[in-house]
PDB file of all heavy atoms in Angstrom:
ATOM      1  N   LYS B 228       7.055 -44.677  72.309  1.00  0.00           N
ATOM      2  CA  LYS B 228       7.465 -46.075  72.334  1.00  0.00           C
ATOM      3  C   LYS B 228       6.432 -46.938  71.605  1.00  0.00           C
ATOM      4  O   LYS B 228       6.754 -47.825  70.836  1.00  0.00           O
ATOM      5  CB  LYS B 228       7.631 -46.538  73.795  1.00  0.00           C
ATOM      6  CG  LYS B 228       9.025 -47.115  74.056  1.00  0.00           C
ATOM      7  CD  LYS B 228       9.193 -47.469  75.520  1.00  0.00           C
ATOM      8  CE  LYS B 228       9.472 -46.261  76.401  1.00  0.00           C
ATOM      9  NZ  LYS B 228       9.132 -46.454  77.806  1.00  0.00           N
ATOM     10  N   VAL B 229       5.165 -46.633  71.881  1.00  0.00           N
ATOM     11  CA  VAL B 229       4.090 -47.380  71.237  1.00  0.00           C
ATOM     12  C   VAL B 229       4.127 -47.156  69.729  1.00  0.00           C
ATOM     13  O   VAL B 229       3.922 -48.081  68.945  1.00  0.00           O
ATOM     14  CB  VAL B 229       2.726 -46.920  71.803  1.00  0.00           C
ATOM     15  CG1 VAL B 229       1.593 -47.604  71.057  1.00  0.00           C
ATOM     16  CG2 VAL B 229       2.644 -47.238  73.279  1.00  0.00           C
ATOM     17  N   PHE B 230       4.435 -45.951  69.358  1.00  0.00           N
ATOM     18  CA  PHE B 230       4.480 -45.607  67.940  1.00  0.00           C
ATOM     19  C   PHE B 230       5.551 -46.419  67.222  1.00  0.00           C
ATOM     20  O   PHE B 230       5.350 -46.890  66.103  1.00  0.00           O
ATOM     21  CB  PHE B 230       4.732 -44.109  67.793  1.00  0.00           C
ATOM     22  CG  PHE B 230       4.471 -43.589  66.415  1.00  0.00           C
ATOM     23  CD1 PHE B 230       3.299 -43.915  65.744  1.00  0.00           C
ATOM     24  CD2 PHE B 230       5.383 -42.767  65.774  1.00  0.00           C
ATOM     25  CE1 PHE B 230       3.045 -43.436  64.474  1.00  0.00           C
ATOM     26  CE2 PHE B 230       5.139 -42.290  64.496  1.00  0.00           C
ATOM     27  CZ  PHE B 230       3.967 -42.636  63.853  1.00  0.00           C
ATOM     28  N   LEU B 231       6.678 -46.597  67.914  1.00  0.00           N
ATOM     29  CA  LEU B 231       7.765 -47.386  67.336  1.00  0.00           C
ATOM     30  C   LEU B 231       7.303 -48.817  67.090  1.00  0.00           C
ATOM     31  O   LEU B 231       7.564 -49.401  66.032  1.00  0.00           O
ATOM     32  CB  LEU B 231       8.978 -47.353  68.273  1.00  0.00           C
ATOM     33  CG  LEU B 231      10.266 -47.904  67.683  1.00  0.00           C
ATOM     34  CD1 LEU B 231      10.754 -47.024  66.555  1.00  0.00           C
ATOM     35  CD2 LEU B 231      11.334 -48.019  68.758  1.00  0.00           C
ATOM     36  N   SER B 232       6.584 -49.386  68.047  1.00  0.00           N
ATOM     37  CA  SER B 232       6.127 -50.763  67.856  1.00  0.00           C
ATOM     38  C   SER B 232       5.027 -50.794  66.798  1.00  0.00           C
ATOM     39  O   SER B 232       4.891 -51.763  66.052  1.00  0.00           O
ATOM     40  CB  SER B 232       5.650 -51.375  69.177  1.00  0.00           C
ATOM     41  OG  SER B 232       4.342 -50.965  69.455  1.00  0.00           O
ATOM     42  N   TYR B 233       4.255 -49.707  66.714  1.00  0.00           N
ATOM     43  CA  TYR B 233       3.246 -49.607  65.641  1.00  0.00           C
ATOM     44  C   TYR B 233       3.927 -49.699  64.283  1.00  0.00           C
ATOM     45  O   TYR B 233       3.508 -50.456  63.406  1.00  0.00           O
ATOM     46  CB  TYR B 233       2.484 -48.285  65.764  1.00  0.00           C
ATOM     47  CG  TYR B 233       1.613 -47.988  64.573  1.00  0.00           C
ATOM     48  CD1 TYR B 233       0.301 -48.445  64.516  1.00  0.00           C
ATOM     49  CD2 TYR B 233       2.110 -47.271  63.481  1.00  0.00           C
ATOM     50  CE1 TYR B 233      -0.494 -48.185  63.411  1.00  0.00           C
ATOM     51  CE2 TYR B 233       1.323 -47.010  62.383  1.00  0.00           C
ATOM     52  CZ  TYR B 233       0.023 -47.469  62.341  1.00  0.00           C
ATOM     53  OH  TYR B 233      -0.759 -47.234  61.247  1.00  0.00           O
ATOM     54  N   ILE B 234       5.026 -48.952  64.142  1.00  0.00           N
ATOM     55  CA  ILE B 234       5.726 -48.938  62.855  1.00  0.00           C
ATOM     56  C   ILE B 234       6.269 -50.321  62.527  1.00  0.00           C
ATOM     57  O   ILE B 234       6.160 -50.800  61.397  1.00  0.00           O
ATOM     58  CB  ILE B 234       6.852 -47.890  62.874  1.00  0.00           C
ATOM     59  CG1 ILE B 234       6.240 -46.493  62.901  1.00  0.00           C
ATOM     60  CG2 ILE B 234       7.760 -48.035  61.672  1.00  0.00           C
ATOM     61  CD1 ILE B 234       7.227 -45.404  63.232  1.00  0.00           C
ATOM     62  N   GLU B 235       6.821 -50.984  63.562  1.00  0.00           N
ATOM     63  CA  GLU B 235       7.363 -52.327  63.326  1.00  0.00           C
ATOM     64  C   GLU B 235       6.290 -53.263  62.785  1.00  0.00           C
ATOM     65  O   GLU B 235       6.542 -54.068  61.894  1.00  0.00           O
ATOM     66  CB  GLU B 235       7.937 -52.901  64.638  1.00  0.00           C
ATOM     67  CG  GLU B 235       9.350 -52.432  64.914  1.00  0.00           C
ATOM     68  CD  GLU B 235       9.728 -52.642  66.373  1.00  0.00           C
ATOM     69  OE1 GLU B 235       9.064 -53.461  67.047  1.00  0.00           O
ATOM     70  OE2 GLU B 235      10.671 -51.969  66.834  1.00  0.00           O
ATOM     71  N   HIS B 236       5.079 -53.151  63.354  1.00  0.00           N
ATOM     72  CA  HIS B 236       4.022 -54.040  62.903  1.00  0.00           C
ATOM     73  C   HIS B 236       3.446 -53.621  61.571  1.00  0.00           C
ATOM     74  O   HIS B 236       3.113 -54.450  60.737  1.00  0.00           O
ATOM     75  CB  HIS B 236       2.904 -54.103  63.961  1.00  0.00           C
ATOM     76  CG  HIS B 236       3.305 -54.911  65.137  1.00  0.00           C
ATOM     77  ND1 HIS B 236       3.849 -54.347  66.259  1.00  0.00           N
ATOM     78  CD2 HIS B 236       3.272 -56.246  65.356  1.00  0.00           C
ATOM     79  CE1 HIS B 236       4.127 -55.291  67.117  1.00  0.00           C
ATOM     80  NE2 HIS B 236       3.795 -56.457  66.608  1.00  0.00           N
ATOM     81  N   ARG B 237       3.337 -52.310  61.402  1.00  0.00           N
ATOM     82  CA  ARG B 237       2.757 -51.807  60.152  1.00  0.00           C
ATOM     83  C   ARG B 237       3.606 -52.234  58.961  1.00  0.00           C
ATOM     84  O   ARG B 237       3.110 -52.546  57.890  1.00  0.00           O
ATOM     85  CB  ARG B 237       2.655 -50.281  60.223  1.00  0.00           C
ATOM     86  CG  ARG B 237       2.039 -49.634  58.998  1.00  0.00           C
ATOM     87  CD  ARG B 237       0.582 -50.023  58.864  1.00  0.00           C
ATOM     88  NE  ARG B 237      -0.005 -49.539  57.607  1.00  0.00           N
ATOM     89  CZ  ARG B 237       0.106 -50.171  56.452  1.00  0.00           C
ATOM     90  NH1 ARG B 237       0.802 -51.296  56.361  1.00  0.00           N
ATOM     91  NH2 ARG B 237      -0.463 -49.693  55.371  1.00  0.00           N
TER      92      ARG B 237
END
Side-chain angles (χ1 to χ4, degrees):
Chain B
K228 235 176 282 157
V229 175
F230 194 48
L231 191 67
S232 81
Y233 170 88
I234 291 167
E235 277 162 20
H236 286 94
R237 181 66 187 83

